[in-house]
């Protein structure tokens, strides 16, 4: 209980990553902290660091462009249009937190955590078990 | 530029505030930090404090139950179902930031900021000008 120690990021799906990065840069002054392609997740993504957090981590805006139309984010975009795709809570131990929420009856989408941004390990909770919010749990490479 | 210094909160619309508060408490251990009714916004809300931020503020999950079906959040819920309604960036000067983004061509929904949670002052940016994301700018009562 209470072992999710930060809002790690807000994941936002967009049609064109470069255009959306440029919007966040010119409108708010947010710069790209990190960019990568995650083939397993089927996304091209950019992380915009907004602030540091009291648990030693940070909070980001994560912009996501699907690599293909039939990827999960691609299908989500086709249905919903651009917008907030998921939210992510940071924890020092994503394995233990995933087990804990699973025991409470929340469906966890992966049997074990997978590779997320910047060397993190992530899992997702089913949005229908979370009042409509696709919720990620993440342990960053620097969490300890 | 760069004067939005934190993710202040993620606003999540729900049908029943008590049930949703209880979900966040039992699943993650998040407790209610503050609750209030905002008649002008047409919502009953609970703020769950997740972490403190490097600008001296904090990040919250904001759970929102509409007071009436014909309120903005009520209409949004009827169309979209439960889920992330908006995101909010914190700034020391919401008036200046609202003016700055307006000058860049982003529609600001209020002529001047209105009362938000916990004595804050808030405004919203049109989601169609923000790649589908209803975006709030907020100066908290403790921002300076």
């Amino acid at each position: 209980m209470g072992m999710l120690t930060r809002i790690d990021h807000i994941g936002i799906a967009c049609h064109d990553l470069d255009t959306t990065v440029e919007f966040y840069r010119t409108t708010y002054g947010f710069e790209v902290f990190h960019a990568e392609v995650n083939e397993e997740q089927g996304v091209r993504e950019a992380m915009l660091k907004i602030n540091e957090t009291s648990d030693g981590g940070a909070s980001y805006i994560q912009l996501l462009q699907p690599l293909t139309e039939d990827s999960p984010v691609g299908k989500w975009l086709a249905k919903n249009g651009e917008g907030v795709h998921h939210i992510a809570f940071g924890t020092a131990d994503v394995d233990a937190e995933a087990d804990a929420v699973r025991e409470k009856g929340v469906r966890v989408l992966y049997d074990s955590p997978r590779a997320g941004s910047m060397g993190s390990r992530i899992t997702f909770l089913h949005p229908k078990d979370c009042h409509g919010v696709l919720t990620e749990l993440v342990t960053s490479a620097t969490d300890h």
Side-chain angles (χ1 to χ4, degrees), chain A:
Chain A
M1 298 283 283
M3 296 301 287
L4 304 180
T5 52
R6 69 179 175 279
I7 293 177
D8 187 86
H9 63 267
I10 301 167
I12 296 172
C14 61
H15 292 299
D16 185 272
L17 188 63
D18 295 342
T19 301
T20 311
V21 161
E22 187 63 9
F23 167 79
Y24 277 86
R25 195 186 67 74
T26 59
T27 309
Y28 307 125
F30 298 151
E31 302 285 349
V32 174
F33 180 80
H34 176 85
E36 67 183 274
V37 170
N38 186 322
E39 297 278 356
E40 184 180 24
Q41 294 288 334
V43 293
R44 182 172 163 237
E45 63 175 69
M47 299 293 277
L48 317 179
K49 187 176 181 176
I50 311 303
N51 57 266
E52 296 181 338
T53 54
S54 44
D55 66 347
S59 293
Y60 302 85
I61 293 293
Q62 179 186 54
L63 302 176
L64 301 162
Q65 177 190 332
L67 293 175
T68 61
E69 289 182 7
D70 64 350
S71 63
V73 175
K75 290 177 183 172
W76 187 93
L77 257 179
K79 180 179 176 187
N80 298 286
E82 294 187 318
V84 177
H85 175 264
H86 68 272
I87 69 173
F89 295 114
T91 170
D93 190 345
V94 64
D95 300 87
E97 292 299 318
D99 287 346
V101 299
R102 191 185 285 111
E103 284 172 15
K104 290 167 187 161
V106 174
R107 282 169 286 179
V108 178
L109 300 191
Y110 303 153
D111 288 338
S112 58
R114 297 183 185 176
S117 307
M118 302 188 290
S120 64
R121 298 176 64 246
I122 65 173
T123 197
F124 288 95
L125 312 183
H126 199 302
K128 289 190 178 172
D129 294 346
C130 299
H131 288 270
V133 178
L134 177 59
T135 303
E136 179 182 330
L137 306 181
V138 53
T139 294
S140 77
T142 55
D143 275 312
H144 51 81

